[in-house]
Amino acid sequence: MLVFAHRGYSGKYPENTMTAFKKAHEANADGIELDVQFTKDKQLVIIHDEKIDRTTNGTGYVKDYTLEELKQFNAAKVHNETCKEETIPSLDEYLNWVKDTNLITNIELKTGVYYYSGIEEATLNLVKKYNLEDKVIFSSFNPLSVVKIKELAPDIKVGLLTESGGIQNAGQLCKDFHFDYYHPDKKDLTQETIDGCKECGIGLNVWTVNDLEFIHKLYEANANAIITNYPDIPKIYLNNLQK
Ligand code: G3P
Ligand code: MG
């Protein structure tokens, strides 16, 4: 079972920053989950919220700033005890770094609250620029973005992301729509979902899993990956189990 670092090593470092990504790599994570949005000038940036208020020293919507303007803000607001200054990374900056590692990247398109028209094509083009088609998994809470990625690039892996109860027969849905993975909130994961995904050949990437008891349960269930805020402890735990 793989360990993906949720927004990088976000349990200890400012989420969705190059520091959090590099620290996840140092912690031996197998992959990184990150969130992507469009700026005013249609540049791809890595940030979770539609607004910059919670994670930076600025205010307002990502979509109302150009990349150059966003770069002026300090993105080391949460966990500033471990990192004093950081910028909002562009996806280009991240992919240029990750291409020289073995990391898998779970690119979550944040199109569920505000739909950024053209973001699927733009993100795919950037992935192709760095020849990282085999090292990415696209996901989104907006199923239309997942469908669109699969339509544009059938060989690229995609996962359907859900919350608030999930979908009971998710395995079947993913199979019917040629999705590769199901990404449920751990709170919604039932034995029925685990069995259904297995029957349909759909891999499970479960978020956000930080406790070892649940990690063990998912290991026994043959999940593909956990998405966690603290990648180091699960890696050590799983390495011991797999010995
Ligand atoms: O992709 C898994 C997880 O990141 C989804 O929720 O809100 O943390 O992006 P959120
Ligand atoms: Mg996310």
Side-chain angles (χ1 to χ4, degrees):
M1 185 168 76
L2 302 173
V3 174
F4 294 171
H6 183 230
R7 311 179 195 172
Y9 195 152
S10 62
K12 209 166 160 187
Y13 302 94
E15 66 180 57
N16 281 326
T17 62
M18 289 310 298
T19 299
F21 302 142
K22 288 174 182 171
K23 292 293 179 184
H25 188 226
E26 282 171 26
N28 291 321
D30 302 292
I32 286 171
E33 186 269 355
L34 50 80
D35 308 290
V36 167
Q37 311 204 32
F38 252 163
T39 62
K40 189 178 178 182
D41 54 341
K42 297 269 195 283
Q43 299 298 305
L44 295 158
V45 280
I46 305 176
I47 186 163
H48 179 271
D49 300 359
E50 286 70 24
K51 292 182 90 172
I52 63 174
D53 303 47
R54 181 179 60 83
T55 56
T56 81
N57 59 346
T59 58
Y61 285 90
V62 175
K63 68 178 175 60
D64 294 335
Y65 288 104
T66 63
L67 175 60
E68 201 186 334
E69 286 165 349
L70 283 175
K71 280 285 182 191
Q72 307 309 313
F73 297 114
N74 185 2
K77 185 171 175 182
V78 182
H79 288 310
N80 61 5
E81 73 283 3
T82 55
C83 174
K84 290 279 168 249
E85 275 202 51
E86 256 292 4
T87 58
I88 298 171
S90 67
L91 185 63
D92 193 292
E93 190 180 343
Y94 169 84
L95 294 176
N96 192 33
W97 166 75
V98 86
K99 71 178 190 320
D100 299 321
T101 72
N102 288 324
L103 289 163
I104 297 162
T105 305
N106 175 193
I107 300 176
E108 183 190 339
L109 297 177
K110 279 283 177 218
T111 51
V113 174
Y114 184 86
Y115 182 66
Y116 299 102
S117 180
I119 197 169
E120 297 88 357
E121 289 91 340
T123 311
L124 267 175
N125 286 342
L126 211 48
V127 166
K128 286 180 184 165
K129 172 181 159 188
Y130 288 102
N131 296 314
L132 286 167
E133 292 98 319
D134 294 341
K135 304 287 287 297
V136 297
I137 300 171
F138 277 88
S139 64
S140 183
F141 284 118
N142 185 339
L144 297 177
S145 283
V146 185
V147 168
K148 195 159 181 190
I149 292 286
K150 207 59 179 173
E151 262 176 24
L152 292 165
D155 293 337
I156 287 192
K157 299 270 191 289
V158 300
L160 177 67
L161 191 46
T162 62
E163 59 187 343
S164 308
I167 294 172
Q168 281 181 20
N169 57 343
Q172 191 61 53
L173 185 154
C174 290
K175 188 179 173 188
D176 287 359
F177 283 86
H178 307 288
F179 298 160
D180 306 277
Y181 300 106
Y182 179 45
H183 294 214
D185 182 338
K186 72 167 254 202
K187 295 196 282 286
D188 304 328
L189 190 64
T190 61
Q191 192 58 45
E192 204 181 336
T193 299
I194 293 172
D195 295 343
C197 284
K198 194 174 173 189
E199 269 167 38
C200 294
I202 302 300
L204 272 171
N205 297 323
V206 185
W207 60 281
T208 303
V209 188
N210 297 321
D211 61 292
L212 290 179
E213 203 179 319
F214 209 84
I215 288 168
H216 195 96
K217 181 182 163 180
L218 291 171
Y219 171 77
E220 302 259 282
N222 262 322
N224 179 66
I226 55 153
I227 302 174
T228 178
N229 295 342
Y230 301 89
D232 49 357
I233 297 164
K235 273 311 289 181
I236 295 165
Y237 183 76
L238 289 167
N239 281 344
N240 282 333
L241 269 184
Q242 284 154 359
K243 260 181 200 162

